[in-house]
Amino acid sequence: MHILLVGAGLSGAVIGRQLAEAGHQITIVEARGHVAGNCHTERDDETGVMVHVYGPHIFHTDDAEVWDYVNRYETFKPYKNRVKTTSQGQVFSLPINLHTINQYFGKTMRPEEARTFIAEEQADTTIEDPQTFEEQALRFVGRDLYEAFFKGYTIKQWGVHPSELPASILKRLPVRFNYDDNYFFHRFQGMPENGYTAMVERILDHPSITVHLNVRFTRDKAGDYDHVFYAGPLDGWFDYELGRLGYRTLDFERFTHDGDYQGCAVMNYGEEAVPYTRITEHKHFSPWESHEGSVCYREFSRACEPDDIPYYPIRQVKEKALLADYVKLAEKARGVTFVGRLGTYRYLDMDVTIREALDTAAVFLDKGAETPAFVKPPL
Ligand SMILES: Cc1cc2nc3c(=O)[nH]c(=O)nc-3n(C[C@H](O)[C@H](O)[C@H](O)COP(=O)(O)OP(=O)(O)OC[C@H]3O[C@@H](n4cnc5c(N)ncnc54)[C@H](O)[C@@H]3O)c2cc1C
């Protein structure tokens, strides 16, 4: 079959490769001037540092098949994500761990002492059934840690007060009573030696795959193909006829520095008074390289307007209701499968994106043109 993939991010690349290997002819159209979607990396002209152009991306997974998959196309160097945060005039370790707690309260507690201290002297036990993010945080960690590490950051990141967000966002106790500051628990973690774009280029390097960059798909082209996999925005497929699904977008402010600016890749800023959420110093993502200069980006979050890049789906009550209406429309469509973070309006880590792309390709190889609109339901 002749198959069209809209979007040359991880979703499009992985589905395209799987289907090309099974003998199908693949055409990919990509609106941007590069492949790899939001994982795109490129070298900074001035400093030579490899930059994660759409924000920092750390690969982490528990899925051994996905880990094998990415290692087939790129060498992954060991990398542990250790994030710091600046708040109330000090630098702390994240996620909140024993070091953070001892430093914040000026104590030298051992794990069980800290657990008791948080439970008995900090947590607000008058809140019996937390309904909001704020109540949940107060119930778990108390006002001091909530205000230093959650409140300002959340307001900046999501543009709403934590008292307007559901408690479900903070599902588990967001505190570790040991000194483990590795951000992710997954078994496999790493950074692609030559960047994510080099990896995606290799995934796409197959004689049956043709990629057209700087080409924006419009729905009238769908009829030229036996099937379409669409990794663009779900509401965009329908020309936003029911309204726009809400996203947060990001603005990045670049600056350079001689030497080492902040000593780590990601420094969060927990206070509302600092307008940016974090500063990323990209050379720390490639500790095996050496660069005299450094390039950093301040990251600002705001509501996404029609001409902005959609980054984080908001998925609150209003957006989910609109999503349900779009899902109903999409389920009636024929010859198209909606995939990836934009096509299914979900936040997806890279490993989940690859897992879903592999599963979607397998469904297509089994069902062909009968493949449903969603292999992974968005709701
Ligand atoms: C700030 C940020 C940080 C992240 N950090 C991490 C991390 O640390 N670790 C992790 O595992 N994941 C991270 N992610 C998630 C990661 O970016 C996604 O998993 C991944 O990008 C999803 O790939 P995709 O192909 O589904 O979507 P995308 O990468 O968005 O690709 C979709 C592509 O479709 C193209 N497109 C859209 N509409 C059209 C159209 N009409 N015509 C042609 N082309 C079109 C777009 O230009 C885009 O290139 C992060 C995401 C963000 C936003």
Side-chain angles (χ1 to χ4, degrees):
M1 288 194 210
H2 192 185
I3 293 157
L4 177 70
L5 286 132
V6 179
L10 280 175
S11 298
V14 173
I15 295 172
R17 179 73 188 218
Q18 295 299 100
L19 300 188
E21 285 183 359
H24 296 290
Q25 278 302 317
I26 308 299
T27 298
I28 304 189
V29 292
E30 169 54 60
R32 293 170 174 170
H34 59 76
V35 300
N38 273 12
C39 316
H40 173 55
T41 43
E42 65 185 29
R43 291 218 178 260
D44 180 65
D45 283 345
E46 195 182 332
T47 61
V49 169
M50 186 66 86
V51 168
H52 300 192
V53 176
Y54 300 94
H57 277 69
I58 296 99
F59 198 91
H60 55 98
T61 189
D62 260 342
D63 187 328
E65 198 184 329
V66 167
W67 184 239
D68 286 348
Y69 185 90
V70 293
N71 278 277
R72 215 178 300 156
Y73 296 102
E74 174 61 13
T75 303
F76 273 73
K77 295 282 215 179
Y79 186 85
K80 294 269 185 287
N81 193 26
R82 301 190 199 282
V83 178
K84 305 282 176 260
T85 186
T86 298
S87 190
Q88 302 176 0
Q90 290 191 67
V91 175
F92 296 95
S93 162
L94 284 184
I96 300 174
N97 59 67
L98 196 47
H99 201 163
T100 325
I101 296 168
N102 275 329
Q103 181 187 347
Y104 187 86
F105 294 103
K107 291 182 183 286
T108 56
M109 293 178 284
R110 288 181 291 109
E112 284 318 310
E113 291 168 334
R115 199 183 287 276
T116 308
F117 170 76
I118 294 293
E120 294 181 2
E121 293 181 45
Q122 293 297 313
D124 184 345
T125 48
T126 62
I127 303 169
E128 283 176 10
D129 182 18
Q131 295 297 316
T132 67
F133 179 103
E134 182 173 54
E135 287 176 356
Q136 185 84 329
L138 293 173
R139 175 77 188 80
F140 273 146
V141 299
R143 184 159 297 280
D144 289 346
L145 295 179
Y146 160 68
E147 292 198 341
F149 301 114
F150 293 106
K151 186 178 168 189
Y153 194 86
T154 305
I155 292 172
K156 289 191 286 187
Q157 178 74 359
W158 292 105
V160 287
H161 195 278
S163 60
E164 291 169 49
L165 292 169
S168 57
I169 292 185
L170 208 63
K171 287 184 194 103
R172 289 179 301 151
L173 180 66
V175 173
R176 297 177 187 171
F177 293 104
N178 57 33
Y179 289 99
D180 182 4
D181 63 350
N182 178 0
Y183 212 87
F184 301 114
F185 283 120
H186 287 152
R187 274 183 299 161
F188 310 108
Q189 300 184 43
M191 266 303 159
E193 184 171 13
N194 302 295
Y196 294 100
T197 299
M199 176 179 85
V200 173
E201 280 167 354
R202 268 180 229 121
I203 296 173
L204 290 167
D205 184 14
H206 186 282
S208 301
I209 300 180
T210 312
V211 180
H212 301 280
L213 297 177
N214 299 306
V215 175
R216 181 164 289 282
F217 167 82
T218 47
R219 216 176 10 170
D220 52 299
K221 302 281 187 312
D224 301 347
Y225 300 88
D226 296 308
H227 198 82
V228 179
F229 288 92
Y230 178 80
L234 175 60
D235 49 359
W237 175 273
F238 297 102
D239 302 321
Y240 309 98
E241 65 178 79
L242 306 175
R244 284 183 178 265
L245 290 165
Y247 281 91
R248 299 291 288 172
T249 192
L250 301 175
D251 295 318
F252 293 98
E253 195 178 272
R254 178 184 180 276
F255 63 97
T256 54
H257 182 83
D258 285 335
D260 192 351
Y261 177 71
Q262 62 184 16
C264 63
V266 178
M267 174 69 75
N268 284 4
Y269 285 83
E271 284 159 345
E272 203 184 340
V274 178
Y276 39 90
T277 52
R278 56 184 177 178
I279 295 179
T280 301
E281 184 168 18
H282 290 256
K283 73 177 180 183
H284 293 295
F285 287 132
S286 312
W288 58 91
E289 295 185 0
S290 89
H291 300 277
E292 285 185 7
S294 194
V295 60
C296 304
Y297 287 83
R298 294 189 189 91
E299 188 174 321
F300 302 79
S301 171
R302 63 177 169 81
C304 186
E305 302 291 338
D307 290 334
D308 295 325
I309 299 174
Y311 279 91
Y312 296 109
I314 294 176
R315 288 185 74 97
Q316 294 305 313
V317 176
K318 185 172 69 138
E319 289 80 15
K320 278 198 182 154
L322 184 56
L323 174 62
D325 292 339
Y326 273 119
V327 167
K328 274 190 214 135
L329 274 188
E331 281 168 347
K332 288 189 207 129
R334 286 283 158 268
V336 55
T337 301
F338 298 88
V339 296
R341 59 176 206 99
L342 297 169
T344 62
Y345 190 60
R346 287 174 304 155
Y347 177 82
L348 300 177
D349 272 330
M350 291 180 280
D351 64 323
V352 179
T353 305
I354 293 171
R355 162 51 55 207
E356 293 194 356
L358 292 170
D359 292 349
T360 300
V363 169
F364 184 81
L365 293 177
D366 181 34
K367 292 190 166 22
E370 296 305 308
T371 300
F374 298 104
V375 171
K376 301 292 165 186
L379 284 163

